[in-house]
Amino acid sequence: MARRKLAGLRTIVTGASQGIGRALVVEAARRGMRVLAVARSAPLLEEVVQEVRRAGGEAVACVADVTRPEDRQAIVTAVQQHLGGLDVLINNAGIGATGHFMDSDPQVLRQIFETNFFALAEMIRICLPLLRAGTTPAIVNISSVLGKRALPARSLYSASKFAVAGFSEALRAELIKDAIDVIVVSPGLTRTNFSQNMLEQKARLPLDHLRGMSSEEVAAATLRALEKGRVDVTLTWRGRLLVLVNRFFPGLVDRLARRTVRRLFADEIAQRQKRS
């Protein structure tokens, strides 16, 4: 994987209006990268672009929905028009849901995959011709610790992030012939409003996002990975610990997960046992 200087690199950031995406735009521009900020909300995008410009950076807003083919084409047109090409694609746009699979709406799973996986894959497909002509080109896919170890009540989101991880591994080998790096960054708990924007919130045990990293810390770690050419980065000590324990003692993590579910559904389990 190539080490690279970030200053001057032409960059697309999706999901750029809030949270990690917004922080990525600000930090990338601060480090001299030229950014096309992509999101669905025009007012929020304009806020981040104006913040960057006041600080002396370069950012351009592109209002688009990455799940729509015509909008993906508009993104490519915009990056060519405003930046003259593309060196780095950061796929950050994502949505989530919590709750047990059997209680979820089938359409929610499809919506999650449409944004978290299919839109990501198709953004890469449409941007590859530009990346092949870019300077030290790279694709950065923002995944999740839950794409390395799934947890109860996060099955839909975890499934989409496992798909991102597997796709990225295969793509990394495929694109070696084009000298395009593929980097996966897996944040753990992050202090954003991601949980407020979920499609469904049915988990009985919410995760405490206030204990997590800030969006700015995630953005800084992501750009360090890009700069150093690191392949796979897992963030937060809790996230790294979960992945490490799961690697060597997966049965232990399974038992802890089952114990948590039994505790949360103790009444339901007891009633079913009475009926049997």
Short mmCIF file of all heavy atoms in Angstrom, two decimals, residues 171-230:
data_model
loop_
_atom_site.label_atom_id
_atom_site.label_comp_id
_atom_site.label_asym_id
_atom_site.label_seq_id
_atom_site.Cartn_x
_atom_site.Cartn_y
_atom_site.Cartn_z
N LEU A 171 -11.75 -6.60 -3.64
CA LEU A 171 -11.46 -5.47 -4.51
C LEU A 171 -10.00 -5.02 -4.36
O LEU A 171 -9.36 -4.62 -5.33
CB LEU A 171 -12.40 -4.31 -4.17
CG LEU A 171 -12.54 -3.20 -5.20
CD1 LEU A 171 -13.15 -3.73 -6.48
CD2 LEU A 171 -13.39 -2.07 -4.63
N ARG A 172 -9.48 -5.12 -3.14
CA ARG A 172 -8.09 -4.71 -2.89
C ARG A 172 -7.13 -5.49 -3.78
O ARG A 172 -6.17 -4.95 -4.34
CB ARG A 172 -7.75 -4.91 -1.42
CG ARG A 172 -6.38 -4.40 -1.02
CD ARG A 172 -6.15 -4.60 0.47
NE ARG A 172 -7.11 -3.83 1.25
CZ ARG A 172 -7.93 -4.36 2.17
NH1 ARG A 172 -7.90 -5.65 2.42
NH2 ARG A 172 -8.76 -3.57 2.82
N ALA A 173 -7.37 -6.79 -3.91
CA ALA A 173 -6.51 -7.62 -4.76
C ALA A 173 -6.77 -7.33 -6.24
O ALA A 173 -5.83 -7.26 -7.04
CB ALA A 173 -6.76 -9.10 -4.46
N GLU A 174 -8.03 -7.15 -6.60
CA GLU A 174 -8.36 -6.90 -8.00
C GLU A 174 -7.74 -5.61 -8.53
O GLU A 174 -7.30 -5.54 -9.68
CB GLU A 174 -9.88 -6.82 -8.17
CG GLU A 174 -10.60 -8.14 -7.99
CD GLU A 174 -12.10 -8.00 -8.19
OE1 GLU A 174 -12.53 -6.96 -8.73
OE2 GLU A 174 -12.83 -8.94 -7.81
N LEU A 175 -7.69 -4.58 -7.68
CA LEU A 175 -7.26 -3.27 -8.16
C LEU A 175 -5.76 -3.04 -8.02
O LEU A 175 -5.27 -1.95 -8.34
CB LEU A 175 -8.02 -2.17 -7.40
CG LEU A 175 -9.53 -2.13 -7.67
CD1 LEU A 175 -10.18 -0.99 -6.91
CD2 LEU A 175 -9.82 -2.02 -9.16
N ILE A 176 -5.02 -4.06 -7.59
CA ILE A 176 -3.57 -3.92 -7.51
C ILE A 176 -2.98 -3.64 -8.89
O ILE A 176 -2.00 -2.91 -9.04
CB ILE A 176 -2.92 -5.17 -6.88
CG1 ILE A 176 -1.47 -4.90 -6.52
CG2 ILE A 176 -3.05 -6.38 -7.78
CD1 ILE A 176 -1.26 -3.91 -5.41
N LYS A 177 -3.61 -4.18 -9.92
CA LYS A 177 -3.12 -3.96 -11.29
C LYS A 177 -3.29 -2.51 -11.73
O LYS A 177 -2.60 -2.05 -12.64
CB LYS A 177 -3.85 -4.89 -12.27
CG LYS A 177 -5.33 -4.64 -12.40
CD LYS A 177 -6.00 -5.63 -13.34
CE LYS A 177 -7.50 -5.42 -13.41
NZ LYS A 177 -7.86 -4.07 -13.88
N ASP A 178 -4.20 -1.79 -11.07
CA ASP A 178 -4.44 -0.39 -11.41
C ASP A 178 -3.77 0.56 -10.41
O ASP A 178 -3.95 1.78 -10.51
CB ASP A 178 -5.94 -0.11 -11.44
CG ASP A 178 -6.66 -0.95 -12.48
OD1 ASP A 178 -6.31 -0.83 -13.66
OD2 ASP A 178 -7.55 -1.72 -12.09
N ALA A 179 -3.03 -0.01 -9.46
CA ALA A 179 -2.35 0.78 -8.42
C ALA A 179 -3.33 1.62 -7.60
O ALA A 179 -3.03 2.74 -7.21
CB ALA A 179 -1.27 1.65 -9.03
N ILE A 180 -4.53 1.08 -7.36
CA ILE A 180 -5.54 1.76 -6.54
C ILE A 180 -5.62 1.04 -5.20
O ILE A 180 -5.92 -0.15 -5.14
CB ILE A 180 -6.92 1.76 -7.23
CG1 ILE A 180 -6.85 2.48 -8.57
CG2 ILE A 180 -7.96 2.42 -6.32
CD1 ILE A 180 -8.14 2.38 -9.38
N ASP A 181 -5.33 1.75 -4.12
CA ASP A 181 -5.42 1.17 -2.78
C ASP A 181 -6.87 1.11 -2.31
O ASP A 181 -7.68 1.99 -2.64
CB ASP A 181 -4.61 2.01 -1.78
CG ASP A 181 -3.11 1.88 -1.99
OD1 ASP A 181 -2.69 0.94 -2.70
OD2 ASP A 181 -2.37 2.71 -1.45
N VAL A 182 -7.19 0.10 -1.53
CA VAL A 182 -8.52 -0.03 -0.91
C VAL A 182 -8.31 -0.14 0.59
O VAL A 182 -7.68 -1.09 1.08
CB VAL A 182 -9.29 -1.25 -1.43
CG1 VAL A 182 -10.64 -1.37 -0.73
CG2 VAL A 182 -9.49 -1.14 -2.95
N ILE A 183 -8.83 0.82 1.32
CA ILE A 183 -8.62 0.94 2.76
C ILE A 183 -9.98 0.82 3.46
O ILE A 183 -10.96 1.44 3.03
CB ILE A 183 -7.97 2.29 3.10
CG1 ILE A 183 -6.60 2.39 2.42
CG2 ILE A 183 -7.85 2.49 4.61
CD1 ILE A 183 -6.03 3.80 2.39
N VAL A 184 -10.02 0.03 4.52
CA VAL A 184 -11.24 -0.10 5.32
C VAL A 184 -10.98 0.47 6.70
O VAL A 184 -10.04 0.08 7.38
CB VAL A 184 -11.69 -1.57 5.43
CG1 VAL A 184 -12.92 -1.69 6.33
CG2 VAL A 184 -11.99 -2.15 4.05
N VAL A 185 -11.83 1.40 7.11
CA VAL A 185 -11.76 1.98 8.45
C VAL A 185 -13.03 1.57 9.19
O VAL A 185 -14.14 1.79 8.71
CB VAL A 185 -11.64 3.51 8.39
CG1 VAL A 185 -11.64 4.10 9.79
CG2 VAL A 185 -10.36 3.92 7.65
N SER A 186 -12.84 0.98 10.37
CA SER A 186 -13.96 0.45 11.14
C SER A 186 -14.08 1.18 12.48
O SER A 186 -13.44 0.78 13.46
CB SER A 186 -13.78 -1.05 11.38
OG SER A 186 -13.71 -1.75 10.15
N PRO A 187 -14.87 2.25 12.54
CA PRO A 187 -15.08 2.94 13.82
C PRO A 187 -15.85 2.06 14.80
O PRO A 187 -16.65 1.19 14.41
CB PRO A 187 -15.90 4.17 13.43
CG PRO A 187 -15.73 4.30 11.94
CD PRO A 187 -15.55 2.91 11.43
N GLY A 188 -15.62 2.32 16.08
CA GLY A 188 -16.46 1.74 17.12
C GLY A 188 -17.52 2.77 17.47
O GLY A 188 -18.03 3.48 16.60
N LEU A 189 -17.86 2.87 18.74
CA LEU A 189 -18.84 3.87 19.16
C LEU A 189 -18.30 5.27 18.85
O LEU A 189 -17.15 5.58 19.14
CB LEU A 189 -19.10 3.75 20.66
CG LEU A 189 -19.84 2.49 21.11
CD1 LEU A 189 -19.93 2.46 22.63
CD2 LEU A 189 -21.22 2.41 20.50
N THR A 190 -19.14 6.08 18.22
CA THR A 190 -18.74 7.44 17.84
C THR A 190 -19.82 8.41 18.27
O THR A 190 -21.01 8.13 18.12
CB THR A 190 -18.54 7.53 16.31
OG1 THR A 190 -17.64 6.49 15.89
CG2 THR A 190 -17.96 8.87 15.92
N ARG A 191 -19.39 9.55 18.77
CA ARG A 191 -20.34 10.55 19.28
C ARG A 191 -20.91 11.35 18.11
O ARG A 191 -20.42 12.43 17.76
CB ARG A 191 -19.65 11.47 20.29
CG ARG A 191 -19.14 10.74 21.51
CD ARG A 191 -18.78 11.69 22.66
NE ARG A 191 -17.73 12.64 22.30
CZ ARG A 191 -16.44 12.40 22.45
NH1 ARG A 191 -16.02 11.22 22.90
NH2 ARG A 191 -15.55 13.31 22.13
N THR A 192 -21.94 10.81 17.48
CA THR A 192 -22.64 11.49 16.39
C THR A 192 -24.14 11.35 16.63
O THR A 192 -24.58 10.71 17.59
CB THR A 192 -22.30 10.87 15.01
OG1 THR A 192 -22.88 9.55 14.94
CG2 THR A 192 -20.79 10.75 14.81
N ASN A 193 -24.94 11.90 15.71
CA ASN A 193 -26.39 11.72 15.80
C ASN A 193 -26.85 10.56 14.93
O ASN A 193 -28.01 10.48 14.55
CB ASN A 193 -27.11 13.01 15.40
CG ASN A 193 -26.76 13.44 13.98
OD1 ASN A 193 -25.95 12.81 13.29
ND2 ASN A 193 -27.37 14.53 13.53
N PHE A 194 -25.93 9.62 14.64
CA PHE A 194 -26.26 8.46 13.80
C PHE A 194 -27.44 7.69 14.38
O PHE A 194 -28.34 7.28 13.65
CB PHE A 194 -25.03 7.54 13.69
CG PHE A 194 -25.25 6.33 12.83
CD1 PHE A 194 -25.25 6.43 11.45
CD2 PHE A 194 -25.44 5.08 13.40
CE1 PHE A 194 -25.45 5.30 10.65
CE2 PHE A 194 -25.63 3.95 12.62
CZ PHE A 194 -25.64 4.07 11.24
N SER A 195 -27.44 7.50 15.71
CA SER A 195 -28.51 6.72 16.32
C SER A 195 -29.87 7.40 16.18
O SER A 195 -30.91 6.74 16.07
CB SER A 195 -28.19 6.45 17.80
OG SER A 195 -28.04 7.67 18.50
N GLN A 196 -29.87 8.74 16.16
CA GLN A 196 -31.14 9.47 16.02
C GLN A 196 -31.70 9.35 14.60
O GLN A 196 -32.90 9.57 14.38
CB GLN A 196 -30.96 10.95 16.38
CG GLN A 196 -30.92 11.23 17.88
CD GLN A 196 -29.62 10.80 18.52
OE1 GLN A 196 -28.55 11.13 18.00
NE2 GLN A 196 -29.70 10.08 19.61
N ASN A 197 -30.84 9.03 13.64
CA ASN A 197 -31.27 8.96 12.24
C ASN A 197 -31.55 7.55 11.77
O ASN A 197 -31.74 7.31 10.58
CB ASN A 197 -30.20 9.59 11.34
CG ASN A 197 -30.04 11.07 11.59
OD1 ASN A 197 -31.01 11.76 11.94
ND2 ASN A 197 -28.84 11.59 11.41
N MET A 198 -31.60 6.59 12.70
CA MET A 198 -31.81 5.19 12.31
C MET A 198 -33.21 4.97 11.76
O MET A 198 -34.17 5.65 12.13
CB MET A 198 -31.57 4.27 13.50
CG MET A 198 -30.11 4.12 13.88
SD MET A 198 -29.91 2.93 15.22
CE MET A 198 -28.12 2.94 15.36
N LEU A 199 -33.33 3.96 10.89
CA LEU A 199 -34.63 3.63 10.31
C LEU A 199 -35.56 3.01 11.34
O LEU A 199 -36.77 3.23 11.32
CB LEU A 199 -34.43 2.66 9.14
CG LEU A 199 -33.61 3.19 7.96
CD1 LEU A 199 -33.41 2.11 6.92
CD2 LEU A 199 -34.30 4.40 7.33
N GLU A 200 -35.00 2.20 12.23
CA GLU A 200 -35.76 1.61 13.33
C GLU A 200 -34.86 1.60 14.58
O GLU A 200 -33.65 1.41 14.47
CB GLU A 200 -36.16 0.16 13.02
CG GLU A 200 -37.21 0.00 11.96
CD GLU A 200 -37.61 -1.46 11.75
OE1 GLU A 200 -36.85 -2.36 12.15
OE2 GLU A 200 -38.69 -1.69 11.19
N GLN A 201 -35.47 1.79 15.74
CA GLN A 201 -34.75 1.68 17.00
C GLN A 201 -35.58 0.80 17.94
O GLN A 201 -36.45 1.29 18.65
CB GLN A 201 -34.51 3.05 17.62
CG GLN A 201 -33.55 3.92 16.83
CD GLN A 201 -33.09 5.13 17.63
OE1 GLN A 201 -32.48 5.00 18.68
NE2 GLN A 201 -33.39 6.32 17.12
N LYS A 202 -35.29 -0.49 17.91
CA LYS A 202 -36.07 -1.45 18.69
C LYS A 202 -35.21 -2.24 19.67
O LYS A 202 -35.71 -3.15 20.33
CB LYS A 202 -36.79 -2.42 17.74
CG LYS A 202 -37.81 -1.76 16.83
CD LYS A 202 -38.48 -2.78 15.93
CE LYS A 202 -39.52 -2.14 15.02
NZ LYS A 202 -40.16 -3.14 14.13
N ALA A 203 -33.92 -1.91 19.77
CA ALA A 203 -33.05 -2.64 20.68
C ALA A 203 -33.42 -2.35 22.12
O ALA A 203 -33.65 -1.19 22.49
CB ALA A 203 -31.59 -2.28 20.42
N ARG A 204 -33.47 -3.37 22.95
CA ARG A 204 -33.78 -3.17 24.37
C ARG A 204 -32.56 -2.64 25.13
O ARG A 204 -32.72 -2.03 26.18
CB ARG A 204 -34.23 -4.49 25.00
CG ARG A 204 -35.55 -5.00 24.44
CD ARG A 204 -36.15 -6.07 25.33
NE ARG A 204 -37.42 -6.55 24.79
CZ ARG A 204 -38.21 -7.41 25.41
NH1 ARG A 204 -37.85 -7.90 26.60
NH2 ARG A 204 -39.34 -7.80 24.86
N LEU A 205 -31.37 -2.90 24.59
CA LEU A 205 -30.16 -2.43 25.24
C LEU A 205 -29.44 -1.48 24.29
O LEU A 205 -28.71 -1.91 23.40
CB LEU A 205 -29.24 -3.60 25.60
CG LEU A 205 -27.95 -3.24 26.35
CD1 LEU A 205 -28.27 -2.65 27.71
CD2 LEU A 205 -27.06 -4.47 26.50
N PRO A 206 -29.63 -0.16 24.44
CA PRO A 206 -28.95 0.78 23.56
C PRO A 206 -27.46 0.86 23.89
O PRO A 206 -27.05 0.63 25.02
CB PRO A 206 -29.64 2.11 23.86
CG PRO A 206 -30.13 1.96 25.27
CD PRO A 206 -30.48 0.51 25.44
N LEU A 207 -26.66 1.15 22.87
CA LEU A 207 -25.24 1.37 23.07
C LEU A 207 -25.00 2.82 23.46
O LEU A 207 -25.65 3.73 22.91
CB LEU A 207 -24.47 1.03 21.79
CG LEU A 207 -24.51 -0.44 21.36
CD1 LEU A 207 -23.80 -0.62 20.03
CD2 LEU A 207 -23.91 -1.35 22.41
N ASP A 208 -24.09 3.05 24.36
CA ASP A 208 -23.82 4.39 24.86
C ASP A 208 -22.80 5.08 23.95
O ASP A 208 -21.59 4.97 24.15
CB ASP A 208 -23.29 4.33 26.29
CG ASP A 208 -23.09 5.71 26.89
OD1 ASP A 208 -23.43 6.71 26.23
OD2 ASP A 208 -22.57 5.79 28.02
N HIS A 209 -23.29 5.79 22.96
CA HIS A 209 -22.40 6.45 22.00
C HIS A 209 -21.61 7.59 22.63
O HIS A 209 -20.59 8.01 22.07
CB HIS A 209 -23.21 6.96 20.80
CG HIS A 209 -23.69 5.86 19.91
ND1 HIS A 209 -23.00 5.43 18.81
CD2 HIS A 209 -24.80 5.08 19.98
CE1 HIS A 209 -23.66 4.44 18.22
NE2 HIS A 209 -24.76 4.22 18.92
N LEU A 210 -22.06 8.10 23.76
CA LEU A 210 -21.33 9.18 24.41
C LEU A 210 -19.97 8.73 24.92
O LEU A 210 -19.10 9.56 25.20
CB LEU A 210 -22.17 9.75 25.57
CG LEU A 210 -23.46 10.47 25.15
CD1 LEU A 210 -24.20 10.96 26.39
CD2 LEU A 210 -23.16 11.63 24.22
N ARG A 211 -19.77 7.41 25.04
CA ARG A 211 -18.47 6.89 25.48
C ARG A 211 -17.50 6.75 24.32
O ARG A 211 -16.35 6.36 24.53
CB ARG A 211 -18.66 5.52 26.14
CG ARG A 211 -19.46 5.52 27.43
CD ARG A 211 -19.45 4.14 28.04
NE ARG A 211 -19.97 3.13 27.12
CZ ARG A 211 -19.71 1.83 27.21
NH1 ARG A 211 -18.93 1.37 28.16
NH2 ARG A 211 -20.22 0.98 26.34
N GLY A 212 -17.95 7.03 23.12
CA GLY A 212 -17.13 6.76 21.95
C GLY A 212 -16.21 7.90 21.56
O GLY A 212 -16.09 8.91 22.24
N MET A 213 -15.54 7.70 20.41
CA MET A 213 -14.67 8.73 19.85
C MET A 213 -15.51 9.87 19.30
O MET A 213 -16.70 9.70 18.99
CB MET A 213 -13.84 8.15 18.69
CG MET A 213 -12.90 7.03 19.06
SD MET A 213 -12.03 6.37 17.59
CE MET A 213 -10.81 7.66 17.33
N SER A 214 -14.89 11.02 19.14
CA SER A 214 -15.56 12.11 18.46
C SER A 214 -15.44 11.90 16.95
O SER A 214 -14.57 11.15 16.47
CB SER A 214 -14.93 13.45 18.84
OG SER A 214 -13.61 13.53 18.32
N SER A 215 -16.31 12.56 16.19
CA SER A 215 -16.23 12.50 14.73
C SER A 215 -14.88 13.00 14.24
O SER A 215 -14.31 12.47 13.28
CB SER A 215 -17.35 13.34 14.11
OG SER A 215 -18.61 12.85 14.46
N GLU A 216 -14.36 14.02 14.91
CA GLU A 216 -13.07 14.60 14.51
C GLU A 216 -11.94 13.60 14.70
O GLU A 216 -11.02 13.53 13.88
CB GLU A 216 -12.81 15.87 15.32
CG GLU A 216 -13.72 17.03 14.98
CD GLU A 216 -15.14 16.89 15.51
OE1 GLU A 216 -15.36 16.07 16.44
OE2 GLU A 216 -16.05 17.60 15.00
N GLU A 217 -12.00 12.82 15.78
CA GLU A 217 -10.97 11.80 16.00
C GLU A 217 -11.04 10.70 14.95
O GLU A 217 -10.00 10.21 14.48
CB GLU A 217 -11.13 11.20 17.40
CG GLU A 217 -10.75 12.15 18.53
CD GLU A 217 -11.12 11.61 19.89
OE1 GLU A 217 -12.20 10.99 20.03
OE2 GLU A 217 -10.32 11.81 20.83
N VAL A 218 -12.26 10.31 14.57
CA VAL A 218 -12.42 9.30 13.52
C VAL A 218 -11.87 9.83 12.19
O VAL A 218 -11.17 9.12 11.46
CB VAL A 218 -13.89 8.88 13.37
CG1 VAL A 218 -14.06 7.94 12.18
CG2 VAL A 218 -14.39 8.22 14.64
N ALA A 219 -12.19 11.09 11.88
CA ALA A 219 -11.71 11.69 10.63
C ALA A 219 -10.19 11.74 10.61
O ALA A 219 -9.55 11.41 9.59
CB ALA A 219 -12.29 13.09 10.46
N ALA A 220 -9.58 12.16 11.71
CA ALA A 220 -8.12 12.24 11.77
C ALA A 220 -7.49 10.86 11.59
O ALA A 220 -6.49 10.70 10.87
CB ALA A 220 -7.68 12.86 13.09
N ALA A 221 -8.06 9.84 12.24
CA ALA A 221 -7.53 8.47 12.11
C ALA A 221 -7.69 7.96 10.69
O ALA A 221 -6.81 7.25 10.17
CB ALA A 221 -8.25 7.55 13.09
N THR A 222 -8.79 8.30 10.05
CA THR A 222 -9.02 7.87 8.67
C THR A 222 -7.99 8.47 7.73
O THR A 222 -7.42 7.78 6.87
CB THR A 222 -10.44 8.28 8.23
OG1 THR A 222 -11.40 7.64 9.07
CG2 THR A 222 -10.69 7.89 6.78
N LEU A 223 -7.73 9.75 7.88
CA LEU A 223 -6.76 10.40 6.99
C LEU A 223 -5.33 9.96 7.28
O LEU A 223 -4.50 9.91 6.38
CB LEU A 223 -6.90 11.91 7.09
CG LEU A 223 -8.24 12.44 6.56
CD1 LEU A 223 -8.32 13.94 6.71
CD2 LEU A 223 -8.48 12.03 5.11
N ARG A 224 -5.04 9.60 8.54
CA ARG A 224 -3.72 9.01 8.84
C ARG A 224 -3.55 7.68 8.13
O ARG A 224 -2.48 7.37 7.58
CB ARG A 224 -3.55 8.81 10.35
CG ARG A 224 -3.11 10.03 11.11
CD ARG A 224 -2.55 9.68 12.48
NE ARG A 224 -3.48 8.90 13.28
CZ ARG A 224 -4.41 9.43 14.06
NH1 ARG A 224 -4.54 10.75 14.14
NH2 ARG A 224 -5.22 8.66 14.77
N ALA A 225 -4.62 6.87 8.13
CA ALA A 225 -4.57 5.59 7.43
C ALA A 225 -4.34 5.79 5.94
O ALA A 225 -3.57 5.07 5.30
CB ALA A 225 -5.87 4.82 7.67
N LEU A 226 -5.02 6.78 5.38
CA LEU A 226 -4.85 7.10 3.96
C LEU A 226 -3.43 7.56 3.67
O LEU A 226 -2.80 7.14 2.69
CB LEU A 226 -5.86 8.18 3.56
CG LEU A 226 -5.80 8.70 2.13
CD1 LEU A 226 -6.12 7.59 1.14
CD2 LEU A 226 -6.78 9.86 1.96
N GLU A 227 -2.93 8.40 4.54
CA GLU A 227 -1.58 8.94 4.36
C GLU A 227 -0.52 7.84 4.44
O GLU A 227 0.43 7.81 3.65
CB GLU A 227 -1.32 10.00 5.43
CG GLU A 227 0.00 10.74 5.29
CD GLU A 227 0.12 11.84 6.33
OE1 GLU A 227 -0.25 11.60 7.50
OE2 GLU A 227 0.56 12.94 5.96
N LYS A 228 -0.69 6.93 5.39
CA LYS A 228 0.32 5.89 5.61
C LYS A 228 0.08 4.64 4.77
O LYS A 228 0.90 3.72 4.77
CB LYS A 228 0.34 5.52 7.10
CG LYS A 228 0.79 6.66 8.00
CD LYS A 228 0.77 6.25 9.47
CE LYS A 228 1.24 7.39 10.35
NZ LYS A 228 1.22 7.02 11.79
N GLY A 229 -1.06 4.59 4.07
CA GLY A 229 -1.35 3.43 3.24
C GLY A 229 -1.70 2.20 4.04
O GLY A 229 -1.38 1.07 3.64
N ARG A 230 -2.35 2.37 5.18
CA ARG A 230 -2.75 1.23 5.99
C ARG A 230 -3.98 0.56 5.38
O ARG A 230 -4.89 1.23 4.88
CB ARG A 230 -3.04 1.67 7.42
CG ARG A 230 -1.81 2.21 8.13
CD ARG A 230 -2.11 2.59 9.56
NE ARG A 230 -2.53 1.42 10.34
CZ ARG A 230 -2.98 1.50 11.59
NH1 ARG A 230 -3.11 2.68 12.19
NH2 ARG A 230 -3.33 0.40 12.25
#
